[in-house]
């Protein structure tokens, strides 16, 4: 609805860490307000951010969008002035100020630049999965389901797929390649660990303050967990949300968090997948530059830290658009890219192909997609990536009571060729699915709630670790000699020397 904003509103505005909350000041000006926030998509240019705006335009510059263009941007209102429309924005959940509508990507559809599909008559690649974002004439994000697509799926024949929404248009060539010869499961399994059980269901505990009794306030000190020579210490407590919180987003694209599913760390760049629901196939990736974010606890306080600190943190946190991530547990990364195996965790074994997404770290957008299948009736639920063009996958073979380890290499024609490299007898944990899978220095790490198992590449059992956290394990990663472990409630990244 339209409202008149006057000097009285300006006088009643709150202070945000030394920066006056943005106002519609002095002269009466019509403002368009929303009951819940819409999601905005940043464009390529840099624009000034202002404290106030009137019918004549903005005033009192407080910063630049250069600090915030890779954050999650939302808004609940905008005004029309003699100098164009200005939006009152929130970034990563914090109120920031007024910015020109020209800052946003308008009438734009962003899609992956390349898609390579392995021919599979029994499985079709959903072409909507290639969408990064869609915007209207004001730079507001539109749900990908509203986009018109010339072809819903591609399975055995290459096609150019066209996308349109209003004035926005895009296209991508989907190349179909012959699938490589299916890998054979012919590796004898090594003797495994003695099977045991753990607790099941959602987390039975939480970090100290992640509960109603403590009002979900920030943690002020880290944790240490030790088992069998491996000591894990808190590296980063993450914000509860990287957006406005529960019930404040007016679209599916808005809320970032609060459910983590997977992680990857490479040379100090930490990436985690975040969802609003554990059943969703769409979510966001958040990337933290640990080389710049040294504090274990400060990132929880984005909405209350000083303005200068918030700008610094915002430059070192990036949020992807709302994209297809599948279960989001199988991540990996190289120096320039994030990789996601976007599988359906509710699908068991069958002919369905799986997707690999390559996402640029520079702007957090999908630039390449492949589909693959490793072998007949072997649908992968856990995988990790080692640099560019190499993926390791874990398959639970229930019929033969073993785990199989597969290596997939990217071929010149865009197909991924699978070779089994090892196997281990047993189930390890009999009453819980795998919660994390990583590879480093010739060993696999397989995580369950409160348990981590280390095996060699050929499947030989090496060590097991038992940590009494009573919190869900939400991903593993190895970078150099360091093992990283993510726990839920609150999302907490721990690290220790991989021994």
């Amino acid at each position: 609805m339209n409202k008149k904003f006057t000097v009285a509103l300006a006088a009643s505005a709150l202070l945000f860490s030394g920066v006056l909350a943005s106002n519609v000041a002095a002269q009466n000006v019509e403002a368009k307000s929303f009951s819940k926030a819409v999601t905005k998509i940043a464009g390529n240019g840099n624009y000034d951010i202002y404290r106030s705006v009137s019918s004549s335009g903005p005033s009192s510059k407080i910063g630049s969008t250069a600090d915030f263009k890779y954050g999650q941007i939302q808004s609940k209102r905008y005004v029309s002035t003699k100098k164009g429309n200005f939006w009152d924005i929130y970034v990563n959940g914090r109120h920031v100020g007024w910015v020109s509508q020209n800052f946003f990507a308008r009438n734009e559809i962003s899609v992956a630049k390349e898609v390579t599909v392995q021919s599979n008559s029994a499985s079709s690649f959903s072409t909507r999965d290639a969408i990064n974002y869609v915007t209207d004439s004001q730079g507001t994000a539109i749900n990908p389901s509203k986009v018109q697509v010339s072809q819903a799926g591609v399975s055995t024949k290459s096609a150019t797929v066209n996308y349109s929404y209003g004035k926005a248009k895009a296209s991508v060539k989907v190349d179909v390649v012959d699938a490589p010869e299916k890998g054979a499961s012919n590796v004898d399994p090594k003797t495994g660990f003695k099977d045991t059980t753990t607790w099941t269901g959602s987390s039975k505990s939480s970090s100290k303050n992640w509960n109603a009794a403590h009002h979900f306030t920030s943690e002020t000190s880290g944790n240490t967990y030790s088992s069998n020579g491996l000591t894990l210490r808190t590296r980063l407590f993450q914000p509860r949300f990287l957006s406005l919180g529960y019930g404040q987003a007016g679209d599916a694209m808005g809320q970032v968090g609060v459910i983590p599913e997977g992680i990857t760390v490479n040379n100090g760049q930490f990436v985690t997948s975040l969802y609003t629901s554990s059943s969703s196939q769409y979510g966001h990736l958040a990337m933290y530059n640990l080389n710049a974010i040294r504090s274990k606890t400060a990132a929880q306080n984005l909405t209350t830290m000083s303005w200068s600190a918030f700008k610094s943190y915002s430059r070192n946190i990036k949020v992807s658009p709302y994209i297809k991530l599948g279960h989001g547990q199988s991540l990996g990364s190289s120096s320039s890219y994030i990789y996601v195996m976007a599988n359906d965790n509710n699908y068991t074994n069958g002919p369905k192909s799986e997707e690999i997404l390559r996402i640029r770290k520079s702007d957090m957008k999908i630039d390449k997609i492949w589909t693959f299948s490793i072998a007949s009736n072997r649908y992968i639920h856990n995988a990790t990536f080692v640099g560019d063009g190499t993926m390791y996958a874990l398959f639970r073979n229930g019929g033969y009571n073993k785990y199989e380890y597969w290596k997939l290499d990217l071929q010149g024609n865009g197909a991924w060729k699978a070779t089994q490299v090892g196997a281990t007898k047993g189930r390890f944990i009999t009453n819980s699915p795998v919660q994390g899978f990583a590879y480093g220095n010739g060993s696999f790490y397989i995580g369950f709630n409160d348990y981590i198992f280390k095996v060699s590449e050929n499947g030989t059992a090496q060590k097991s670790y038992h940590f009494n956290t009573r919190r869900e394990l939400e991903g593993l990663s190895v970078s150099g000699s360091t093992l990283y472990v993510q726990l839920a409630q609150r999302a907490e990244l721990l690290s220790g020397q991989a021994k």
Side-chain angles (χ1 to χ4, degrees), residues 9 55 62 158 164 337 476-477:
L9 177 60
S55 59
I62 59 173
S158 298
S164 64
Y337 298 104
L476 300 173
S477 183

Side-chain angles (χ1 to χ4, degrees), residues 84-107:
N85 289 348
F86 284 79
W87 290 76
D88 189 19
I89 62 170
Y90 295 76
V91 178
N92 295 341
R94 178 171 176 149
H95 192 215
V96 171
W98 294 92
V99 66
S100 169
Q101 184 170 283
N102 294 333
F103 167 56
F104 305 119
R106 293 166 290 151
N107 291 319

Side-chain angles (χ1 to χ4, degrees), residues 61 83 126 175 205 216 246 256 309:
K61 176 183 172 181
K83 295 185 179 180
S126 174
D175 292 313
S205 185
F216 299 95
Y246 287 124
V256 183

Side-chain angles (χ1 to χ4, degrees), residues 160-178:
T160 297
V161 180
N162 299 311
Y163 304 81
S164 64
Y165 177 86
K167 295 181 180 180
K169 300 184 185 303
S171 64
V172 62
K173 174 71 179 302
V174 180
D175 292 313
V176 175
V177 300
D178 291 334

Side-chain angles (χ1 to χ4, degrees), residues 428-468:
F428 303 3
I429 299 291
T430 61
N431 63 336
S432 174
V434 174
Q435 293 284 90
F437 177 65
Y439 175 86
N441 304 308
S443 295
F444 296 111
Y445 295 82
I446 305 170
F448 302 82
N449 292 335
D450 277 358
Y451 284 88
I452 299 173
F453 297 89
K454 179 181 179 181
V455 301
S456 65
E457 189 168 326
N458 68 4
T460 300
Q462 294 179 308
K463 297 187 80 170
S464 64
Y465 312 94
H466 180 204
F467 304 94
N468 187 30

Side-chain angles (χ1 to χ4, degrees), residues 16-17 94 301-302 304-311:
F16 284 81
S17 300
R94 178 171 176 149
N301 306 312
L302 294 178
T304 58
M305 63 177 50
S306 71
W307 177 245
S308 60
F310 177 65
K311 290 195 294 182

